[in-house]
Amino acid sequence: MSSGERPELGEVPETALWTLWHRAVEARRPDTVLHDPKAVELVGRIDFPFEERFGHGALAAQLQALRAACFDREVADFLARHPRGTVVCLGEGLETQAWRVDNGRARWLSVDLPEAAALRERLLPPDDRRRIFPCSATDPRWMDEVDPAQGVLISTEGLLMYLRPAEVRALIAACAERFPGASFVLDAVPRWFSSRAVRGKLRDRHYQAPPMPFGMNADEHGKLATAHPAVTGIREVYPEGGRGLVRALLPLAAHVNARPSVVALRFAETGGPAGRTETMAGRRTP
């Protein structure tokens, strides 16, 4: 255990430590599927019983890393098209993507609950291009912090499953209306997984996952378009590579309906009425 930062986080914010730990476990391997030295560094700086709390599962670590790599590819593609664009990371926790795919010119905005944002600020201090805004993802105040002039990508890795379905729809709708032409990348757990989490059945001897009210099977991706008329593109982002048995099974997993998925949305260039934004509660504010 390190003698460094001692985090005190609630149930859902603590998942930032779970994902960080598993990325670091994978990154330490010589045959890793995700090079993430910043994650390894952070684990060494945090005074927390990671292995005792979260275990040391190589499979979970590899799957977590492959999910992160899906988001990395989407962000890297966005930055190739919009080198000075803004990447908004909602519920970012201690994700270290900005150290994996940054191009030296993009702007990054990390949005998270105050306790998680404060921890990130201590461990990963902001600078001229990387900012942190303490705010719930469902609070539209963060939108005023985004300059859309050079393009926007909104990333919600590891977030939406902890929201209610109505909140997910409202968040997508608000972003589609406020940021015409933007990209929105999300991940979803399948419905069976969501149901087990809500019933407190996702646990082992180390850890119990928080409730996950939002779940979506692969054949439901098209329903995301009903959140707002500006959702005009829906595309699944499949994991690539892998190691050992995971590598062999990934092509087969793509044919399983009840599987975890990463989905990229595209918003139409023309949004809603200028100067008005849909809030997460469905109201409209000036």
Side-chain angles (χ1 to χ4, degrees):
M1 184 184 296
S2 164
S3 59
E5 178 72 38
R6 306 185 72 174
E8 296 182 4
L9 300 172
E11 186 180 38
V12 172
E14 190 190 52
T15 61
L17 299 177
W18 189 96
T19 56
L20 171 66
W21 168 244
H22 284 91
R23 289 200 319 279
V25 168
E26 174 63 29
R28 288 170 176 158
R29 295 181 60 103
D31 57 352
T32 182
V33 301
L34 185 77
H35 294 281
D36 198 346
K38 197 68 173 180
V40 176
E41 174 197 325
L42 283 183
V43 165
R45 292 168 53 195
I46 297 174
D47 186 352
F48 186 84
F50 284 101
E51 187 167 0
E52 177 184 333
R53 179 79 168 126
F54 303 135
H56 200 283
L59 176 60
Q62 184 181 177
L63 293 177
Q64 173 62 27
L66 289 172
R67 180 185 77 166
C70 288
F71 281 83
D72 283 3
R73 294 201 309 274
E74 289 300 302
V75 172
D77 178 70
F78 166 76
L79 294 181
R81 293 179 286 108
H82 303 278
R84 297 185 182 277
T86 298
V87 180
V88 181
C89 301
L90 301 181
E92 188 172 30
L94 294 174
E95 173 58 64
T96 46
Q97 182 182 70
W99 283 262
R100 297 194 301 268
V101 300
D102 182 49
N103 63 1
R105 291 176 287 175
R107 297 189 177 276
W108 299 77
L109 177 64
S110 178
V111 178
D112 216 328
L113 296 172
E115 60 185 297
L119 178 63
R120 183 178 182 87
E121 186 166 0
R122 293 193 297 272
L123 291 168
L124 300 169
D127 56 31
D128 290 344
R129 293 189 298 108
R130 301 182 181 96
R131 295 182 297 131
I132 301 171
F133 189 71
C135 172
S136 169
T138 61
D139 184 334
R141 287 182 301 144
W142 65 262
M143 297 183 179
D144 295 331
E145 302 294 315
V146 180
D147 179 0
Q150 300 295 324
V152 177
L153 181 143
I154 301 160
S155 172
T156 63
E157 182 180 356
L159 169 67
L160 298 191
M161 60 279 294
Y162 301 111
L163 303 182
R164 296 187 298 272
E167 292 176 313
V168 172
R169 289 178 58 85
L171 176 59
I172 294 172
C175 291
E177 187 163 325
R178 182 67 177 266
F179 303 113
S183 300
F184 187 105
V185 190
L186 63 99
D187 59 328
V189 299
R191 286 188 175 273
W192 70 265
F193 196 90
S194 167
S195 176
R196 286 185 62 83
V198 168
R199 291 184 285 120
K201 299 294 186 180
L202 284 183
R203 63 177 181 267
D204 57 26
R205 65 187 181 88
H206 301 286
Y207 178 68
Q208 176 168 326
M212 302 179 190
F214 175 66
M216 179 175 63
N217 291 340
D219 63 358
E220 298 177 287
H221 293 164
K223 294 180 181 180
L224 296 169
T226 65
H228 194 278
V231 180
T232 56
I234 301 174
R235 171 175 51 85
E236 183 164 358
V237 183
Y238 294 98
E240 297 178 355
R243 180 181 60 250
L245 185 60
V246 170
R247 184 183 185 91
L249 293 178
L250 278 180
L252 300 176
H255 300 286
V256 176
N257 184 40
R259 66 176 186 272
S261 54
V262 176
V263 182
L265 307 181
R266 179 72 177 174
F267 300 148
E269 294 289 342
T270 302
R276 300 176 68 86
T277 301
E278 184 173 344
T279 72
M280 304 307 113
R283 302 186 303 272
R284 302 172 77 85
T285 58

